[in-house]
Structures are given as structure tokens and as C-alpha cells.
Amino acid sequence: LILQFRRALKRNEKLQSIASVSFIAHLVNQRVAHELLALEVIQILLANPTNASVEVAIEFTKQVGMLLEDVVPKGVHVVFEQFRNILQSGKKYNINKRVQYQIDELFTVRRKKFKDYPSVIPQLDLVEMDDQITHEISLDDNTLEKEEQLDIFRLDNQYKANEKIWTQIRKEILGIENDSSSDSSSGSDSSSSGYDSDDESTEEKESKKEVDGDLQVSGLQKSNTEEKGIADMTEAELVGMRRQIYLTIMSSLDFEECAHKMLKMNIPKGLEH
């Protein structure tokens, strides 16, 4: 990664430089790389300031500023003095107005204590401070190797065994418990879902009982009125049928079940509509 940043800086490739320093910033924030590496990156970017190098330095400072303020505040002070010098001597370094506005915005971000650029978000704060291993690497280290052979895919004949080893290492680093807790949680979820299904079935049974009772009541009322030959002006039969239809709709899981139940209902003649 450092070699890639050197090559991008030498070729004046701004986008590649921003990608490299963004990665380095995350490594520094996660305490994988030492904070002195961040200060070296900023110093080399501001040594011979250009529009591109200053932009990269601004983006990098935003990402690591919160951590550097806590760890090396004097170093941050020196960095911002360099930015101030570039801002006040823009014509000397041939810095355009857009980059000068970005420097001014960077000072605003610092006054807000990098509130909008947290060093580590809670979702990624996974490793305890005592378990972190910080690597001290310098930009001037000539012993770094590219290790390009790692970019070549090689078939692992013992993939499953090695994957189990790495899974165990990941659990130890992240403090993840064994699968027993997940199994217990899944068991509780399945049991709770079973209770829910039982509750739904009992509710459906009760609604069916109410529907059957309403059918019996409406049938008795109809037989009584036919035997006595008396017209029912209270519309009790209509009210009972509406209640029956309502309970049928509410007890159905979907429209197909509802239509199937409605077809089985004995709706009296004259009330079909």
C-alpha cells in the first residue's frame, strides 16, 4: 500500500493517491499503523505543495484528524500551520481559489473537532485496546517488498481445514462465543414462532365457532318466522349475515381462503347483493 502511494505520488495521480491515503487513514484509525505514518504522509504531501498534493493532504487530514488531535496534538498544530502558510501564500505556490476554499473548510472542520469525520465508527470498533497490534512503518523504509505473488490465485487443497483455523482465530480476536448461543437463540425464536402459530390457530378456531353460532341463530330465526308467518321488520337476519361476513373476512389469511369461505356460506335469498 505504501509503495502504491509512492508510485501514485511520483506520477502525480490524484485519484490513486486519494485511494491509497484513505486506506492508510483507516489503518491508522484502527491502530494497525502508527500515527507517525500519518504525519509523514501529510509532510511529504505538503513539502512541495501543488493543487493535487494539497487536495490529497486535505482529504487525508480530515480522515485522521480526530485521532491525531488526541494522540499528537503538537504534530497537528504544525500541520495546520503549514496549511495556514499555504493559504496565506497562495500566489507563491500557485494554489488556485478552489483549493484555498478547501483549506479554509478544513480549518472549519478542525474548529468543530472533526465531528463529521469520526476516527472509528461504533460498528467497526471491534478489537479491544489491549489486543491491538500497531505496526511502525515509515514511508522511507526501503526494506518493503511488493509481494506481488499474493495477487496470484493458488488452489488450496486444505481449504476447509484452514478455513476452520481462520474462523477460530477470528472468534478469538472479536470475542465471539461458540455457536451454542446462536443455537439457543434460534431455538427460542422457533419456539416463539410455534407459540405464535398456535395462537393464530386458536383465534381462527374461535372465529369459526362464532361464524357457526351466527349461522345457527340466523337459521332458527328464519324457521321461526316461516312457521309463524310473521315478517321480521328489525332486519336481525341482515345484521347477522353482515356479522357473519365480517368474521369470515377477518378470520381468513388471504383473499383465496376468504372467497372459498364465502362460497360455502348459506346466504338467504334476496340478500345476495
Side-chain angles (χ1 to χ4, degrees), residues 163-215:
E163 191 66 17
K164 289 181 180 179
I165 296 174
W166 285 113
T167 302
Q168 187 64 31
I169 294 173
R170 181 175 65 87
K171 289 181 179 180
E172 292 177 358
I173 294 175
L174 301 180
I176 300 175
E177 297 179 356
N178 294 329
D179 297 333
S180 58
S181 60
S182 61
D183 294 338
S184 62
S185 62
S186 61
S188 61
D189 294 338
S190 61
S191 61
S192 62
S193 61
Y195 292 143
D196 296 338
S197 60
D198 294 339
D199 294 339
E200 291 178 358
S201 60
T202 52
E203 290 178 358
E204 185 176 355
K205 289 179 181 178
E206 291 178 356
S207 62
K208 287 182 179 179
K209 289 181 181 179
E210 291 180 358
V211 171
D212 295 337
D214 292 335
L215 285 173

Side-chain angles (χ1 to χ4, degrees), residues 56-111:
V56 176
I58 291 171
E59 184 64 28
F60 182 69
T61 305
K62 287 180 181 179
Q63 297 184 30
V64 297
M66 179 176 287
L67 176 67
L68 295 180
E69 282 279 11
D70 295 336
V71 181
V72 282
K74 293 183 178 180
V76 176
H77 178 72
V78 173
V79 168
F80 274 88
E81 285 299 320
Q82 288 182 282
F83 278 117
R84 192 186 307 276
N85 183 33
I86 295 172
L87 183 61
Q88 294 175 353
S89 306
K91 293 182 179 180
K92 176 182 177 181
Y93 298 108
N94 197 19
I95 304 298
N96 58 32
K97 291 292 184 182
R98 182 175 62 85
V99 178
Q100 293 180 22
Y101 284 132
Q102 291 182 2
I103 297 175
D104 188 52
E105 181 185 357
L106 179 62
F107 279 93
T108 304
V109 171
R110 188 193 183 191
R111 283 195 294 270

Side-chain angles (χ1 to χ4, degrees), residues 2 6 36-37 40 135-142 144:
I2 293 176
R6 286 182 189 171
L36 292 179
L37 176 62
E40 287 182 0
H135 302 274
E136 296 184 4
I137 303 174
S138 175
L139 287 178
D140 299 329
D141 191 354
N142 295 323
L144 298 177

Side-chain angles (χ1 to χ4, degrees), residues 8-268:
L9 185 63
K10 186 176 181 180
R11 295 177 181 177
N12 199 21
E13 297 176 354
K14 187 178 76 171
L15 295 179
Q16 184 63 47
S17 298
I18 291 176
S20 300
V21 298
S22 297
F23 204 147
I24 295 173
H26 286 294
L27 294 178
V28 173
N29 288 332
Q30 290 286 349
R31 309 312 297 270
V32 176
H34 200 271
E35 58 271 8
L36 292 179
L37 176 62
L39 294 176
E40 287 182 0
V41 170
I42 299 174
Q43 290 297 325
I44 196 173
L45 288 170
L46 299 182
N48 297 309
T50 61
N51 290 322
S53 66
V54 173
E55 282 190 69
V56 176
I58 291 171
E59 184 64 28
F60 182 69
T61 305
K62 287 180 181 179
Q63 297 184 30
V64 297
M66 179 176 287
L67 176 67
L68 295 180
E69 282 279 11
D70 295 336
V71 181
V72 282
K74 293 183 178 180
V76 176
H77 178 72
V78 173
V79 168
F80 274 88
E81 285 299 320
Q82 288 182 282
F83 278 117
R84 192 186 307 276
N85 183 33
I86 295 172
L87 183 61
Q88 294 175 353
S89 306
K91 293 182 179 180
K92 176 182 177 181
Y93 298 108
N94 197 19
I95 304 298
N96 58 32
K97 291 292 184 182
R98 182 175 62 85
V99 178
Q100 293 180 22
Y101 284 132
Q102 291 182 2
I103 297 175
D104 188 52
E105 181 185 357
L106 179 62
F107 279 93
T108 304
V109 171
R110 188 193 183 191
R111 283 195 294 270
K112 294 181 180 179
K113 297 182 179 180
F114 300 93
K115 181 180 179 182
D116 298 329
Y117 299 91
S119 57
V120 180
I121 61 177
Q123 292 83 352
L124 296 179
D125 191 7
L126 303 175
V127 183
E128 297 292 337
M129 185 67 69
D130 297 336
D131 298 333
Q132 293 177 353
I133 300 175
T134 304
H135 302 274
E136 296 184 4
I137 303 174
S138 175
L139 287 178
D140 299 329
D141 191 354
N142 295 323
T143 61
L144 298 177
E145 298 180 358
K146 294 183 180 180
E147 296 184 352
E148 295 179 347
Q149 69 276 8
L150 298 177
D151 297 334
I152 302 173
F153 174 77
R154 290 180 174 83
L155 180 63
D156 188 2
N157 296 324
Q158 298 179 351
Y159 171 76
K160 293 184 178 179
N162 293 331
E163 191 66 17
K164 289 181 180 179
I165 296 174
W166 285 113
T167 302
Q168 187 64 31
I169 294 173
R170 181 175 65 87
K171 289 181 179 180
E172 292 177 358
I173 294 175
L174 301 180
I176 300 175
E177 297 179 356
N178 294 329
D179 297 333
S180 58
S181 60
S182 61
D183 294 338
S184 62
S185 62
S186 61
S188 61
D189 294 338
S190 61
S191 61
S192 62
S193 61
Y195 292 143
D196 296 338
S197 60
D198 294 339
D199 294 339
E200 291 178 358
S201 60
T202 52
E203 290 178 358
E204 185 176 355
K205 289 179 181 178
E206 291 178 356
S207 62
K208 287 182 179 179
K209 289 181 181 179
E210 291 180 358
V211 171
D212 295 337
D214 292 335
L215 285 173
Q216 293 177 359
V217 172
S218 61
L220 291 174
Q221 290 177 349
K222 182 178 179 181
S223 61
N224 291 334
T225 52
E226 288 178 352
E227 290 177 359
K228 295 182 181 179
I230 301 173
D232 186 8
M233 302 301 293
T234 61
E235 297 183 348
E237 187 175 0
L238 179 61
V239 174
M241 186 194 67
R242 289 177 178 174
R243 175 178 172 80
Q244 177 185 352
I245 293 173
Y246 172 77
L247 292 174
T248 302
I249 295 173
M250 297 302 294
S251 63
S252 301
L253 295 177
D254 52 17
F255 69 94
E256 293 180 353
E257 183 181 354
C258 179
H260 185 68
K261 290 181 180 180
M262 295 285 284
L263 290 174
K264 288 186 176 182
M265 289 174 58
N266 296 321
I267 300 177

